[in-house]
Amino acid sequence: MNQAPRNSWWNRLCEGSYRASTRRLVREIEAESPQVYSEMLRDLETPLEPAFEREMARHLDRGGFRAFVPTETLMPVMLQRFGLDQASVAGHASYPSLRGNCNACPVAGHCWGAMRRDAGIDECRAFCPNAAAFKRLAETA
């Protein structure tokens, strides 16, 4: 049996089909296995195939997966970027507002991807709606 060369038309077809189907795949995992999907979203460490990871982020930015709570997964990591921890910020008067901003964030998927790739503070300042407040809190800590 002949084995196809590594860069054959078949491999290109398979790769193209996979890329074209990632949106549907993400929606199907969310619908058919919500617990697994939730675990995948909360896991900021385990590597994912890049096209699949990008589609998960896009899905979150489009309002996908209502059970995802950014303040539980993303806010603690974002606070660390600013040199803060959840316990020290939780007692601050602005904390409920910060949580509300985070949970209503229109770029939660972008944030999720940034936290997964360990984005630096400069990148985080560019998109996080709480960045200015986190910076002020860090300066007074």
Side-chain angles (χ1 to χ4, degrees):
M1 182 168 154
N2 289 339
Q3 189 171 359
R6 190 165 185 84
N7 293 322
S8 72
W9 63 269
W10 179 252
N11 287 337
R12 290 190 311 273
L13 176 66
C14 290
E15 289 170 14
S17 296
Y18 171 73
R19 277 191 230 103
S21 69
T22 54
R23 186 174 188 176
R24 182 174 45 90
L25 178 61
V26 168
R27 287 191 321 253
E28 287 177 0
I29 293 171
E30 176 190 8
E32 301 297 325
S33 302
Q35 182 61 35
V36 170
Y37 190 69
S38 180
E39 289 174 24
M40 290 170 66
L41 289 172
R42 288 191 312 264
D43 180 354
L44 299 176
E45 303 292 324
T46 302
L48 295 172
E49 192 279 326
F52 182 76
E53 183 175 322
R54 281 189 303 275
E55 188 52 44
M56 286 183 64
R58 280 194 284 269
H59 187 66
L60 285 174
D61 281 343
R62 290 188 299 264
F65 204 63
R66 292 185 177 104
F68 181 67
V69 182
T71 55
E72 293 174 5
T73 302
L74 304 175
M75 192 170 175
V77 182
M78 184 64 78
L79 285 168
Q80 290 174 355
R81 296 292 189 278
F82 285 85
L84 299 165
D85 63 65
Q86 190 109 16
S88 65
V89 175
H92 196 273
S94 66
Y95 186 65
S97 176
L98 296 172
R99 286 179 55 86
N101 288 343
C102 185
N103 283 330
C105 183
V107 293
H110 179 81
C111 182
W112 178 80
M115 297 302 97
R116 286 187 54 81
R117 69 177 180 282
D118 200 26
I121 193 167
D122 289 336
E123 181 181 346
C124 294
R125 282 187 188 121
F127 68 82
C128 180
N130 286 327
F134 290 160
K135 182 181 176 195
R136 283 190 302 276
L137 288 169
E139 289 170 351
T140 62

